[in-house]
Amino acid sequence: MFIFYIFWGAVSAMKLLVIRHGESEADLLDVYEGRADFPLTERGHRQAEAMSVFVKKNFDVSAVYCSPLKRAFQTAVHLAEATAAPLVVEEKLMEFNNGLIAGLERRVADEKYPMVSALPVHDSVYGQESALEFRFRADYILSRIISQTAAEDTAAIVTHGGVINQLYRSFLRLPIDSDIFFETGNTGIHSWCLVDAHRRVMMANYTAHAEGV
């Protein structure tokens, strides 16, 4: 432990906070959300406020990056206002493009557009983006955010559950066809850091701030 402490204290650590949006109106409906643009519920706003208080207390955020979809953007606004950090909207942080099923009731979508398994990673159906395109978006935006963040700074990324999974796979350098899934609750916080060439997951899916909200 002593050796680790000396090593940790001797270098600058870049931190990334990866945060899912709060409860959206789609969460109260039995629909596929994806690119359907639903706003936060009143509870979702309270969750975002509680998350922002926690982040402000525990981290010194230098910038907030977010998806332009309402549920993520509205969550990010709470965080940017609480931390006084600049807000940067990034289209590549949008949720998976689920094409024709976006906003449809699950029952209707499952009947009209049944799941197709074993697609090649470059291929897609129903106007959706391919797995390859989705992973490339995550690789690209994560690389860009890291390049824009100083070694001692903390960048917050407010996005969606599907994107968080892709960012994890990119950050951990997992293969594109990985079957590992990373759970994220409403306003769940993941804390990562980069120390030289080392990548560390410090906290995953922290949601205690939203308990009872």
Side-chain angles (χ1 to χ4, degrees), residues 111-124:
E111 291 176 1
K112 196 171 182 179
Y113 306 111
M115 182 178 295
V116 178
S117 60
L119 275 175
V121 296
H122 69 276
D123 207 354
S124 64

Side-chain angles (χ1 to χ4, degrees), residues 131-158:
L132 188 62
E133 290 169 327
F134 195 22
R135 173 60 180 266
F136 175 75
R137 276 205 289 128
D139 286 345
Y140 178 89
I141 195 61
L142 182 62
S143 175
R144 203 169 89 195
I145 291 173
I146 289 173
S147 72
Q148 292 173 347
T149 305
E152 67 281 0
D153 284 351
T154 299
I157 302 170
V158 182

